[in-house]
Amino acid sequence: MRKAFISPAKYVQGEDELLNLGYFINTFGNKALLIGNTQDIERVKVQLNKTAEKYRCEFIMADFKGECSKVEVARLKKLAIEKNCDCTVALGGGKAIDAAKCVAQGEALIIVPTIAATDAPTSHSAVLYTEDGAFDDYAYFKQNPSVVLVDTKIIANAPVRFLVSGMGDALSTYFEARANYHSYAAANAGLPCGSQEESIAPARQTMAAFALATLCYQTLLNDGIKAKQSCHNKVVTTALENIIEANILLSGLGFESGGLAGAHAIHDGLTLLEETHHYYHGEKVAFGTLAQLILENSPSEEIEEVLDFCLAVGLPVCLADLGVKSINDAQLTAIAEKATISDESIHAMPFPVTVDAVKAAIIVADKIGQDYKQYGTFTK
């Protein structure tokens, strides 16, 4: 059986770690294209100046326009060539990170997340949008980032909602990896699978991938509430350090090497509802996780454990928590159809999944979440 494990070359995390950015730039040269929005760069201008002086490196400010579009990526690539940049540095959240991935094309890429809202920093994929912000395409690169550098002091000073959203994204990691484990699905996105032209077998998850996905879930349960309070008070504690690692590293390695399944597919379907557009990726994934648990008829005790966690940290447990006050059958059908298109991750579940099954799972997950919020139980 062919197995594979996908990861960045280096992951470094700690307080004031941004001061060491110049060291990693020096491993490629001394000139870096810095991709980030103005606000994020201004927040850490002092640290950037210090690391540039200490390591004698130069930042070429890209003036990122805010959208990871093909037009913006082309502009940034041209700038990198004109300025003879030795590497690319992404500073900020998802779109800046994805734009930097598209510019670097899998070479000499340093990711510096300023929030821990998703597990995107470690992955070798990106999402492209139109200049108007509509979804355009996915992009995959030959390898993951060269360095992921996480300054926990910066994360601690970011809005708490970002950290909680990251916990929602990380919450799905274990359950989706478990589904892939039982279905023997090809878990490693972006690796070549078999075709008529090439006889390369699909890659299954390694023991390491499943172990990291399991640790991710255990860490959320153990440290999630404490980490939220740490972030609320803008201080770095062991719990916050652990949750940052869970949100970014454990979840990142777990999803890319362990596989996605129902939760992310249902998230994709929920994006059809305009009301959900005001909510973050991880917030929608959290509800998608509950729907996946209903889909696979998980034990009540496990569902209650997930509900308790979500309510404790402030993640959605029903559609109303995502701004959806009412939903009709046509909308449910559209969501379920999008979640079950042929190339969606929901087909990694260890049983056939139909549109009707997804509709039923969403309805039941919504009702269970409502009842649990109101009564503290759904088994009455």
Side-chain angles (χ1 to χ4, degrees):
M1 180 185 294
R2 181 178 185 239
K3 296 183 178 182
F5 186 82
I6 303 173
S7 69
K10 294 185 178 72
Y11 178 89
V12 184
Q13 172 184 313
E15 291 185 69
D16 295 316
E17 199 58 49
L18 186 56
L19 296 174
N20 295 321
L21 175 58
Y23 168 83
F24 294 102
I25 292 172
N26 285 169
T27 62
F28 304 108
N30 63 4
K31 189 182 292 187
L33 181 70
L34 181 64
I35 298 175
N37 68 49
T38 303
Q39 284 184 325
D40 282 332
I41 291 173
E42 284 300 316
R43 279 176 57 201
V44 296
K45 197 67 177 288
V46 172
Q47 294 97 315
L48 291 174
N49 289 339
K50 284 184 177 180
T51 198
E53 181 180 359
K54 180 177 180 180
Y55 293 100
R56 298 181 181 180
C57 59
E58 179 184 357
F59 292 107
I60 302 301
M61 301 298 178
D63 188 26
F64 179 55
K65 304 301 182 184
E67 199 59 73
C68 182
S69 68
K70 291 175 181 176
V71 172
E72 177 67 350
V73 168
R75 183 187 72 83
L76 294 171
K77 284 183 177 179
K78 182 180 178 183
L79 180 62
I81 293 170
E82 288 176 349
K83 299 295 183 179
N84 295 312
C85 294
D86 300 302
C87 64
T88 306
V89 175
L91 180 79
K95 291 191 176 182
I97 289 171
D98 280 359
K101 289 178 182 178
C102 292
V103 171
Q105 293 288 302
E107 297 283 0
L109 173 62
I110 303 172
I111 304 290
V112 185
T114 56
I115 55 176
T118 71
D119 48 26
T122 64
S123 80
H124 74 303
S125 60
V127 182
L128 285 156
Y129 297 86
T130 66
E131 291 181 86
D132 296 327
F135 171 78
D136 185 9
D137 200 3
Y138 292 107
Y140 297 91
F141 312 105
K142 62 182 179 181
Q143 59 190 15
N144 295 57
S146 307
V147 182
V148 178
L149 188 71
V150 185
D151 190 321
T152 53
K153 191 175 288 185
I154 293 171
I155 305 293
N157 282 275
V160 176
R161 187 179 169 192
F162 287 125
L163 185 79
V164 173
S165 175
M167 287 192 263
D169 197 20
L171 178 63
S172 70
T173 305
Y174 164 69
F175 298 107
E176 293 187 293
R178 183 178 70 181
N180 277 268
Y181 176 81
H182 289 307
S183 67
Y184 293 93
N188 307 91
L191 283 184
C193 292
S195 68
Q196 291 181 346
E197 292 78 23
E198 54 187 6
S199 56
I200 301 177
R204 314 300 182 185
Q205 65 179 237
T206 59
M207 291 188 296
F210 190 64
L212 291 173
T214 304
L215 178 60
C216 182
Y217 182 56
Q218 293 169 343
T219 303
L220 293 175
L221 296 182
N222 291 337
D223 292 322
I225 298 171
K226 293 176 287 182
K228 180 182 178 181
Q229 290 302 325
S230 299
C231 192
H232 179 75
N233 288 283
K234 302 186 183 305
V235 294
V236 177
T237 61
T238 299
L240 181 61
E241 291 271 7
N242 290 347
I243 289 299
I244 291 170
E245 183 177 342
N247 284 8
I248 297 176
L249 182 63
L250 298 180
S251 183
L253 300 182
F255 104 77
E256 203 162 36
S257 292
L260 300 178
H264 272 79
I266 292 168
H267 158 279
D268 294 345
L270 289 171
T271 62
L272 291 177
L273 300 179
E274 187 175 351
E275 301 96 317
T276 69
H277 294 179
H278 305 292
Y279 292 83
Y280 296 147
H281 172 81
E283 293 169 335
K284 293 190 281 285
V285 169
F287 178 76
T289 301
L290 288 168
Q292 177 181 315
L293 292 177
I294 299 302
L295 189 66
E296 58 191 352
N297 196 29
S298 293
S300 296
E301 295 78 13
E302 184 172 71
I303 295 171
E304 287 182 349
E305 184 175 69
V306 172
L307 285 165
D308 285 336
F309 172 77
C310 288
L311 291 175
V313 298
L315 285 167
V317 296
C318 60
L319 292 175
D321 291 343
L322 293 171
V324 182
K325 304 304 181 185
S326 63
I327 190 168
N328 58 43
D329 186 69
Q331 290 173 311
L332 272 171
T333 300
I335 291 167
E337 286 178 344
K338 183 173 176 62
T340 55
I341 60 175
S342 61
D343 59 349
E344 258 294 3
S345 58
I346 203 163
H347 299 296
M349 298 298 292
F351 47 79
V353 179
T354 65
V355 169
D356 285 343
V358 174
K359 288 172 64 176
I362 292 172
I363 291 169
V364 173
D366 180 42
K367 185 62 167 65
I368 281 176
Q370 291 180 46
D371 286 350
Y372 207 75
K373 285 180 70 175
Q374 185 172 358
Y375 306 113
T377 182
F378 61 85
T379 58
K380 65 182 182 66

